[in-house]
Amino acid sequence: MMRPHPHRRAMLGAIAAAAATPAALARGRTYQRVVLLGQSLIQRDVCLAGWPGMAAIAGQLRRADVVFTDLETAIDVPGAGAPTRTGEVLHAAPPVVIDCLKALGVTMVTTANNHAWDLGADGIRAAIAELDRRGITHAGSGGDLATAAAEAVQSTPHGRVALVAAAAGAIRDGAAAMPGRPGVNELRRRGDGTLEPADVSRVLLAIRAARRSGATVLMCLHNHYWEPRPSDTPAWQRDFARACVDAGAAAFVGHGPPMMQPYELYRGAPLFHGLGNFIFQTRKIDGSYGRETWRSLIVDARFANGLFVDARLIPILLDPAKDGEFSRGLPAIDAGKIVDLRGES
């Protein structure tokens, strides 16, 4: 039931229609409002001075029970560790960027990505400590493999929401969590192009455990095994996302390519294969990225009884202009193109 991304309205209609059955099941029940965002490559405290569109973004996010993004930077504090890479590809920011995301409304993040290890193992520990200090729910990295692979749960007035997270591709030697070693929950691809069965099994077990506990389960994959055209979704990722739904995930969220990918519905659950960027502050020179990098969506979704009900997909535009070392990369709602989706009432 795939649709090419340019045909946005057709895809959105398909999502609304396919969500009708879960909506019917959820009739009269309490809804969880969950916002899903693209990745946040945030390198400085952009909340301090603010930007045009910030108030509208924050107003949209703060109404939700859960707001989810990818923390696409290591957190630099004393003792975090020396950089493991240099130049424009080093992503390291002070902990105030977490305060900024929290002020905007973010409550939940994945730390499973190819930049979590930019300050080494001590950087992994530092990011976790700073997130814990601020009460941000996080999954995808940890002090060992079991912790990195485990679901993280946020309690809300309308029920529990769990996150399971993994990263695939561009995970450098030493960055993957192992028994007794900090790192990220890595999903490896074998030489024949298939995923490592043990890694897939570990992810699916975490999803099943979270669903058995009664939580609404979100699965996030940060993927750098890109297709020749990064806006295309690999067939293996579609299969993996569907397996996650079969295991109990209510929604699948993909990050990694700095642009959106197609999305689809499977058994009533939305598979957002690539949500692109929510904040994108890159050191790369102007023109390094195409127009698609600076467009994304806020997915304002409702769930009930662990199932997707409906969503409002709100297009956003990011500012690509350079502001000193980094691109501004800050979002504003593209108000003329908001589409409301409703399941069966």
Side-chain angles (χ1 to χ4, degrees), residues 160-185:
R160 300 161 73 246
V161 177
L163 172 65
V164 177
I171 305 303
R172 291 165 294 147
D173 290 345
M178 300 186 71
R181 188 180 81 183
V184 303
N185 184 26

Side-chain angles (χ1 to χ4, degrees), residues 23-37:
L25 292 173
R27 187 183 294 115
R29 305 296 175 89
T30 298
Y31 296 107
Q32 295 165 328
R33 188 169 173 182
V34 178
V35 168
L36 308 174
L37 302 171

Side-chain angles (χ1 to χ4, degrees), residues 195-231:
L195 296 175
E196 177 60 50
D199 296 343
V200 173
S201 177
R202 186 173 64 247
V203 169
L204 299 184
L205 284 171
I207 292 172
R208 292 187 187 106
R211 186 69 192 110
R212 281 197 303 269
S213 76
T216 298
V217 185
L218 308 177
M219 172 62 208
C220 179
L221 177 68
H222 189 93
N223 174 41
H224 271 259
Y225 290 128
W226 297 353
E227 294 294 280
R229 188 172 67 174
S231 59

